[in-house]
mmCIF file of all heavy atoms in Angstrom:
data_model
loop_
_atom_site.group_PDB
_atom_site.id
_atom_site.type_symbol
_atom_site.label_atom_id
_atom_site.label_comp_id
_atom_site.label_asym_id
_atom_site.label_seq_id
_atom_site.Cartn_x
_atom_site.Cartn_y
_atom_site.Cartn_z
ATOM 1 N N CYS K 96 -86.724 -21.414 -16.906
ATOM 2 C CA CYS K 96 -87.582 -22.154 -17.838
ATOM 3 C C CYS K 96 -88.573 -21.181 -18.462
ATOM 4 O O CYS K 96 -89.360 -20.547 -17.737
ATOM 5 C CB CYS K 96 -88.318 -23.275 -17.111
ATOM 6 S SG CYS K 96 -89.300 -24.349 -18.187
ATOM 7 N N GLU K 97 -88.481 -21.026 -19.774
ATOM 8 C CA GLU K 97 -89.385 -20.170 -20.544
ATOM 9 C C GLU K 97 -89.497 -18.776 -19.933
ATOM 10 O O GLU K 97 -90.589 -18.231 -19.763
ATOM 11 C CB GLU K 97 -90.750 -20.841 -20.692
ATOM 12 C CG GLU K 97 -90.668 -22.159 -21.452
ATOM 13 C CD GLU K 97 -92.019 -22.704 -21.880
ATOM 14 O OE1 GLU K 97 -93.042 -22.082 -21.552
ATOM 15 O OE2 GLU K 97 -92.040 -23.751 -22.566
ATOM 16 N N THR K 112 -96.111 -28.151 -8.038
ATOM 17 C CA THR K 112 -96.445 -27.107 -9.017
ATOM 18 C C THR K 112 -95.311 -26.902 -10.013
ATOM 19 O O THR K 112 -95.531 -26.798 -11.228
ATOM 20 C CB THR K 112 -96.764 -25.788 -8.294
ATOM 21 O OG1 THR K 112 -97.911 -25.963 -7.460
ATOM 22 C CG2 THR K 112 -97.049 -24.670 -9.295
ATOM 23 N N ASN K 113 -94.077 -26.839 -9.503
ATOM 24 C CA ASN K 113 -92.925 -26.621 -10.376
ATOM 25 C C ASN K 113 -92.753 -27.782 -11.353
ATOM 26 O O ASN K 113 -92.522 -27.575 -12.556
ATOM 27 C CB ASN K 113 -91.655 -26.445 -9.544
ATOM 28 C CG ASN K 113 -91.610 -25.114 -8.812
ATOM 29 O OD1 ASN K 113 -92.509 -24.281 -8.966
ATOM 30 N ND2 ASN K 113 -90.596 -24.910 -8.008
ATOM 31 N N LEU K 114 -92.853 -29.004 -10.864
ATOM 32 C CA LEU K 114 -92.664 -30.161 -11.732
ATOM 33 C C LEU K 114 -93.756 -30.235 -12.797
ATOM 34 O O LEU K 114 -93.492 -30.639 -13.938
ATOM 35 C CB LEU K 114 -92.633 -31.441 -10.899
ATOM 36 C CG LEU K 114 -91.337 -31.658 -10.113
ATOM 37 C CD1 LEU K 114 -91.498 -32.759 -9.088
ATOM 38 C CD2 LEU K 114 -90.178 -31.974 -11.060
ATOM 39 N N LYS K 115 -94.969 -29.835 -12.463
ATOM 40 C CA LYS K 115 -96.030 -29.800 -13.469
ATOM 41 C C LYS K 115 -95.726 -28.757 -14.546
ATOM 42 O O LYS K 115 -96.071 -28.941 -15.723
ATOM 43 C CB LYS K 115 -97.370 -29.508 -12.797
ATOM 44 C CG LYS K 115 -97.958 -30.694 -12.051
ATOM 45 C CD LYS K 115 -99.354 -30.386 -11.509
ATOM 46 C CE LYS K 115 -99.971 -31.625 -10.879
ATOM 47 N NZ LYS K 115 -101.340 -31.375 -10.369
ATOM 48 N N PHE K 116 -95.069 -27.657 -14.132
ATOM 49 C CA PHE K 116 -94.676 -26.638 -15.113
ATOM 50 C C PHE K 116 -93.529 -27.142 -15.992
ATOM 51 O O PHE K 116 -93.515 -26.927 -17.206
ATOM 52 C CB PHE K 116 -94.266 -25.353 -14.405
ATOM 53 C CG PHE K 116 -93.908 -24.238 -15.341
ATOM 54 C CD1 PHE K 116 -94.888 -23.456 -15.923
ATOM 55 C CD2 PHE K 116 -92.579 -23.982 -15.672
ATOM 56 C CE1 PHE K 116 -94.564 -22.430 -16.806
ATOM 57 C CE2 PHE K 116 -92.238 -22.971 -16.551
ATOM 58 C CZ PHE K 116 -93.237 -22.183 -17.118
ATOM 59 N N PHE K 117 -92.542 -27.814 -15.381
ATOM 60 C CA PHE K 117 -91.380 -28.291 -16.133
ATOM 61 C C PHE K 117 -91.733 -29.422 -17.094
ATOM 62 O O PHE K 117 -91.068 -29.585 -18.120
ATOM 63 C CB PHE K 117 -90.291 -28.808 -15.181
ATOM 64 C CG PHE K 117 -89.751 -27.797 -14.205
ATOM 65 C CD1 PHE K 117 -89.253 -28.210 -12.974
ATOM 66 C CD2 PHE K 117 -89.737 -26.441 -14.497
ATOM 67 C CE1 PHE K 117 -88.749 -27.293 -12.064
ATOM 68 C CE2 PHE K 117 -89.237 -25.509 -13.599
ATOM 69 C CZ PHE K 117 -88.742 -25.938 -12.370
ATOM 70 N N HIS K 118 -92.750 -30.203 -16.778
ATOM 71 C CA HIS K 118 -93.012 -31.433 -17.532
ATOM 72 C C HIS K 118 -93.377 -31.095 -18.983
ATOM 73 O O HIS K 118 -94.132 -30.189 -19.268
ATOM 74 C CB HIS K 118 -94.071 -32.268 -16.794
ATOM 75 C CG HIS K 118 -95.386 -32.432 -17.457
ATOM 76 N ND1 HIS K 118 -96.197 -31.380 -17.803
ATOM 77 C CD2 HIS K 118 -96.042 -33.564 -17.821
ATOM 78 C CE1 HIS K 118 -97.294 -31.853 -18.350
ATOM 79 N NE2 HIS K 118 -97.232 -33.160 -18.374
ATOM 80 N N GLY K 119 -92.713 -31.813 -19.912
ATOM 81 C CA GLY K 119 -92.892 -31.562 -21.330
ATOM 82 C C GLY K 119 -92.128 -30.354 -21.848
ATOM 83 O O GLY K 119 -92.240 -30.010 -23.029
ATOM 84 N N ARG K 120 -91.357 -29.691 -20.977
ATOM 85 C CA ARG K 120 -90.601 -28.497 -21.368
ATOM 86 C C ARG K 120 -89.101 -28.711 -21.143
ATOM 87 O O ARG K 120 -88.691 -29.602 -20.403
ATOM 88 C CB ARG K 120 -91.048 -27.279 -20.554
ATOM 89 C CG ARG K 120 -92.462 -26.800 -20.811
ATOM 90 C CD ARG K 120 -92.747 -25.562 -19.969
ATOM 91 N NE ARG K 120 -93.975 -24.882 -20.348
ATOM 92 C CZ ARG K 120 -95.155 -25.059 -19.752
ATOM 93 N NH1 ARG K 120 -95.244 -25.903 -18.721
ATOM 94 N NH2 ARG K 120 -96.231 -24.420 -20.164
ATOM 95 N N THR K 121 -88.306 -27.834 -21.750
ATOM 96 C CA THR K 121 -86.859 -27.822 -21.530
ATOM 97 C C THR K 121 -86.516 -26.686 -20.578
ATOM 98 O O THR K 121 -86.951 -25.549 -20.786
ATOM 99 C CB THR K 121 -86.100 -27.625 -22.851
ATOM 100 O OG1 THR K 121 -86.378 -28.729 -23.718
ATOM 101 C CG2 THR K 121 -84.588 -27.540 -22.608
ATOM 102 N N HIS K 122 -85.781 -26.999 -19.529
ATOM 103 C CA HIS K 122 -85.296 -25.949 -18.625
ATOM 104 C C HIS K 122 -83.772 -25.922 -18.654
ATOM 105 O O HIS K 122 -83.127 -26.854 -19.134
ATOM 106 C CB HIS K 122 -85.826 -26.145 -17.197
ATOM 107 C CG HIS K 122 -85.337 -27.375 -16.506
ATOM 108 N ND1 HIS K 122 -86.075 -28.534 -16.420
ATOM 109 C CD2 HIS K 122 -84.185 -27.637 -15.848
ATOM 110 C CE1 HIS K 122 -85.409 -29.447 -15.744
ATOM 111 N NE2 HIS K 122 -84.240 -28.926 -15.385
ATOM 112 N N LEU K 146 -82.099 -29.424 -19.958
ATOM 113 C CA LEU K 146 -82.731 -30.696 -19.629
ATOM 114 C C LEU K 146 -84.210 -30.656 -20.027
ATOM 115 O O LEU K 146 -84.907 -29.691 -19.702
ATOM 116 C CB LEU K 146 -82.616 -30.995 -18.130
ATOM 117 C CG LEU K 146 -81.195 -31.104 -17.559
ATOM 118 C CD1 LEU K 146 -80.687 -29.741 -17.100
ATOM 119 C CD2 LEU K 146 -81.168 -32.084 -16.386
ATOM 120 N N THR K 147 -84.649 -31.683 -20.733
ATOM 121 C CA THR K 147 -86.035 -31.754 -21.176
ATOM 122 C C THR K 147 -86.764 -32.852 -20.408
ATOM 123 O O THR K 147 -86.370 -34.023 -20.466
ATOM 124 C CB THR K 147 -86.126 -32.052 -22.684
ATOM 125 O OG1 THR K 147 -85.408 -31.046 -23.408
ATOM 126 C CG2 THR K 147 -87.585 -32.065 -23.140
ATOM 127 N N MET K 148 -87.799 -32.449 -19.682
ATOM 128 C CA MET K 148 -88.614 -33.434 -18.976
ATOM 129 C C MET K 148 -89.645 -34.033 -19.932
ATOM 130 O O MET K 148 -90.182 -33.344 -20.794
ATOM 131 C CB MET K 148 -89.330 -32.800 -17.787
ATOM 132 C CG MET K 148 -88.437 -32.551 -16.600
ATOM 133 S SD MET K 148 -89.388 -32.187 -15.094
ATOM 134 C CE MET K 148 -88.032 -31.926 -13.938
ATOM 135 N N ARG K 149 -89.894 -35.318 -19.757
ATOM 136 C CA ARG K 149 -90.916 -35.984 -20.563
ATOM 137 C C ARG K 149 -92.307 -35.589 -20.046
ATOM 138 O O ARG K 149 -92.442 -35.019 -18.951
ATOM 139 C CB ARG K 149 -90.728 -37.494 -20.512
ATOM 140 C CG ARG K 149 -90.909 -38.104 -19.138
ATOM 141 C CD ARG K 149 -90.568 -39.596 -19.135
ATOM 142 N NE ARG K 149 -90.817 -40.186 -17.818
ATOM 143 C CZ ARG K 149 -91.990 -40.661 -17.416
ATOM 144 N NH1 ARG K 149 -93.045 -40.588 -18.219
ATOM 145 N NH2 ARG K 149 -92.126 -41.188 -16.216
ATOM 146 N N ALA K 150 -93.307 -35.886 -20.834
ATOM 147 C CA ALA K 150 -94.680 -35.560 -20.448
ATOM 148 C C ALA K 150 -95.245 -36.679 -19.573
ATOM 149 O O ALA K 150 -96.108 -37.454 -19.982
ATOM 150 C CB ALA K 150 -95.540 -35.360 -21.692
ATOM 151 N N PHE K 151 -94.733 -36.748 -18.348
ATOM 152 C CA PHE K 151 -95.150 -37.817 -17.432
ATOM 153 C C PHE K 151 -96.577 -37.572 -16.936
ATOM 154 O O PHE K 151 -97.090 -36.452 -16.955
ATOM 155 C CB PHE K 151 -94.183 -37.928 -16.251
ATOM 156 C CG PHE K 151 -93.830 -36.618 -15.600
ATOM 157 C CD1 PHE K 151 -94.691 -35.988 -14.706
ATOM 158 C CD2 PHE K 151 -92.612 -36.001 -15.889
ATOM 159 C CE1 PHE K 151 -94.363 -34.787 -14.119
ATOM 160 C CE2 PHE K 151 -92.272 -34.789 -15.297
ATOM 161 C CZ PHE K 151 -93.154 -34.182 -14.410
ATOM 162 N N SER K 152 -97.202 -38.648 -16.460
ATOM 163 C CA SER K 152 -98.586 -38.570 -15.997
ATOM 164 C C SER K 152 -98.652 -38.020 -14.573
ATOM 165 O O SER K 152 -97.657 -38.017 -13.829
ATOM 166 C CB SER K 152 -99.211 -39.961 -16.013
ATOM 167 O OG SER K 152 -98.576 -40.800 -15.052
ATOM 168 N N ASP K 153 -99.832 -37.578 -14.174
ATOM 169 C CA ASP K 153 -100.027 -37.127 -12.793
ATOM 170 C C ASP K 153 -99.785 -38.266 -11.812
ATOM 171 O O ASP K 153 -99.256 -38.054 -10.714
ATOM 172 C CB ASP K 153 -101.453 -36.589 -12.608
ATOM 173 C CG ASP K 153 -101.663 -35.240 -13.289
ATOM 174 O OD1 ASP K 153 -100.663 -34.602 -13.662
ATOM 175 O OD2 ASP K 153 -102.833 -34.840 -13.446
ATOM 176 N N PHE K 155 -97.640 -40.747 -12.185
ATOM 177 C CA PHE K 155 -96.193 -40.906 -12.018
ATOM 178 C C PHE K 155 -95.644 -39.825 -11.101
ATOM 179 O O PHE K 155 -94.790 -40.094 -10.243
ATOM 180 C CB PHE K 155 -95.472 -40.845 -13.367
ATOM 181 C CG PHE K 155 -93.977 -40.876 -13.213
ATOM 182 C CD1 PHE K 155 -93.305 -42.080 -13.077
ATOM 183 C CD2 PHE K 155 -93.240 -39.693 -13.160
ATOM 184 C CE1 PHE K 155 -91.926 -42.106 -12.895
ATOM 185 C CE2 PHE K 155 -91.868 -39.712 -12.967
ATOM 186 C CZ PHE K 155 -91.213 -40.924 -12.842
ATOM 187 N N LEU K 156 -96.105 -38.588 -11.272
ATOM 188 C CA LEU K 156 -95.626 -37.483 -10.446
ATOM 189 C C LEU K 156 -95.890 -37.761 -8.964
ATOM 190 O O LEU K 156 -95.002 -37.551 -8.124
ATOM 191 C CB LEU K 156 -96.297 -36.181 -10.877
ATOM 192 C CG LEU K 156 -95.985 -34.942 -10.019
ATOM 193 C CD1 LEU K 156 -94.493 -34.665 -9.974
ATOM 194 C CD2 LEU K 156 -96.741 -33.729 -10.559
ATOM 195 N N GLN K 182 -85.809 -40.556 -14.032
ATOM 196 C CA GLN K 182 -86.990 -41.025 -14.761
ATOM 197 C C GLN K 182 -87.889 -39.885 -15.246
ATOM 198 O O GLN K 182 -88.819 -40.112 -16.016
ATOM 199 C CB GLN K 182 -87.809 -41.964 -13.881
ATOM 200 C CG GLN K 182 -87.108 -43.255 -13.518
ATOM 201 C CD GLN K 182 -88.060 -44.244 -12.881
ATOM 202 O OE1 GLN K 182 -89.145 -44.499 -13.404
ATOM 203 N NE2 GLN K 182 -87.679 -44.788 -11.739
ATOM 204 N N LEU K 183 -87.607 -38.655 -14.812
ATOM 205 C CA LEU K 183 -88.399 -37.510 -15.250
ATOM 206 C C LEU K 183 -88.041 -37.053 -16.662
ATOM 207 O O LEU K 183 -88.803 -36.312 -17.276
ATOM 208 C CB LEU K 183 -88.192 -36.328 -14.296
ATOM 209 C CG LEU K 183 -88.624 -36.507 -12.838
ATOM 210 C CD1 LEU K 183 -88.085 -35.360 -11.989
ATOM 211 C CD2 LEU K 183 -90.142 -36.567 -12.735
ATOM 212 N N PHE K 184 -86.897 -37.517 -17.188
ATOM 213 C CA PHE K 184 -86.319 -36.870 -18.371
ATOM 214 C C PHE K 184 -86.378 -37.705 -19.635
ATOM 215 O O PHE K 184 -86.321 -38.932 -19.601
ATOM 216 C CB PHE K 184 -84.867 -36.488 -18.076
ATOM 217 C CG PHE K 184 -84.754 -35.425 -17.032
ATOM 218 C CD1 PHE K 184 -84.568 -35.763 -15.698
ATOM 219 C CD2 PHE K 184 -84.891 -34.088 -17.368
ATOM 220 C CE1 PHE K 184 -84.500 -34.784 -14.715
ATOM 221 C CE2 PHE K 184 -84.827 -33.108 -16.394
ATOM 222 C CZ PHE K 184 -84.635 -33.456 -15.070
ATOM 223 N N GLU K 185 -86.452 -36.977 -20.761
ATOM 224 C CA GLU K 185 -86.332 -37.617 -22.072
ATOM 225 C C GLU K 185 -85.061 -37.187 -22.790
ATOM 226 O O GLU K 185 -84.596 -37.880 -23.696
ATOM 227 C CB GLU K 185 -87.546 -37.329 -22.949
ATOM 228 C CG GLU K 185 -87.718 -35.873 -23.357
ATOM 229 C CD GLU K 185 -88.919 -35.661 -24.258
ATOM 230 O OE1 GLU K 185 -89.977 -36.264 -24.004
ATOM 231 O OE2 GLU K 185 -88.787 -34.881 -25.215
ATOM 232 N N ASN K 186 -84.463 -36.057 -22.385
ATOM 233 C CA ASN K 186 -83.232 -35.610 -23.033
ATOM 234 C C ASN K 186 -82.452 -34.703 -22.093
ATOM 235 O O ASN K 186 -83.042 -33.881 -21.383
ATOM 236 C CB ASN K 186 -83.538 -34.848 -24.328
ATOM 237 C CG ASN K 186 -82.276 -34.545 -25.115
ATOM 238 O OD1 ASN K 186 -81.552 -35.459 -25.523
ATOM 239 N ND2 ASN K 186 -82.001 -33.275 -25.333
#
Side-chain angles (χ1 to χ4, degrees):
C96 185
E97 298 193 358
T112 298
N113 288 357
L114 285 167
K115 284 185 175 181
F116 183 81
F117 300 152
H118 113 301
R120 293 182 168 96
T121 297
H122 65 261
L146 300 89
T147 303
M148 284 194 181
R149 64 186 183 86
F151 47 79
S152 66
D153 288 346
F155 175 84
L156 175 58
Q182 295 191 49
L183 298 168
F184 293 94
E185 66 178 41
N186 188 60

